[in-house]
Amino acid sequence: KLDILSYMERIPVCVHYELDGKQTDEFPFPSDLDDAKPVIEYLDGWKEDISGVRRWEDLPPAAQRYVLFVEQAVGCPITYVSVGPERDSIILRGRGKV
């Protein structure tokens, strides 16, 4: 669903939470949510339509950086990137169109 971020100049990403004066990378237990403060980092947006893109290397550099940032943050490779609502609006990272 990368395409839904295309209108944004800057994309907010919650990178941690502060709870009781301490930083945590864990999502706070529901009873602690009211006291948890999200720590936000902003990534550059790309402000262009990417719905027709089918190859990773054709994505705007800011969109690539966003995907790589999320991938590193969650510690899991992102293999498929959705760029639009159509069934074929998917990029298989590093291999072109699915």
Side-chain angles (χ1 to χ4, degrees), residues 9-90:
E9 280 188 41
R10 294 179 356 150
I11 301 169
V13 179
C14 180
V15 293
H16 310 287
Y17 290 93
E18 286 182 8
L19 185 60
D20 298 326
K22 297 178 184 167
Q23 182 174 297
T24 180
D25 292 334
E26 302 294 323
F27 188 78
F29 193 73
S31 63
D32 293 328
L33 277 177
D34 287 340
D35 297 321
K37 178 185 173 199
V39 177
I40 305 293
E41 284 188 25
Y42 291 88
L43 301 176
D44 291 335
W46 43 94
K47 301 280 291 174
E48 63 182 274
D49 180 16
I50 60 169
S51 62
V53 176
R54 295 296 180 271
R55 296 182 331 138
W56 171 257
E57 48 278 348
D58 294 335
L59 277 175
Q64 291 179 22
R65 284 191 296 274
Y66 175 81
V67 171
L68 294 173
F69 182 92
V70 171
E71 183 178 77
Q72 182 178 0
V74 300
C76 181
I78 296 175
T79 307
Y80 295 95
V81 179
S82 172
V83 292
E86 302 302 323
R87 186 178 202 89
D88 70 341
S89 299
I90 293 197

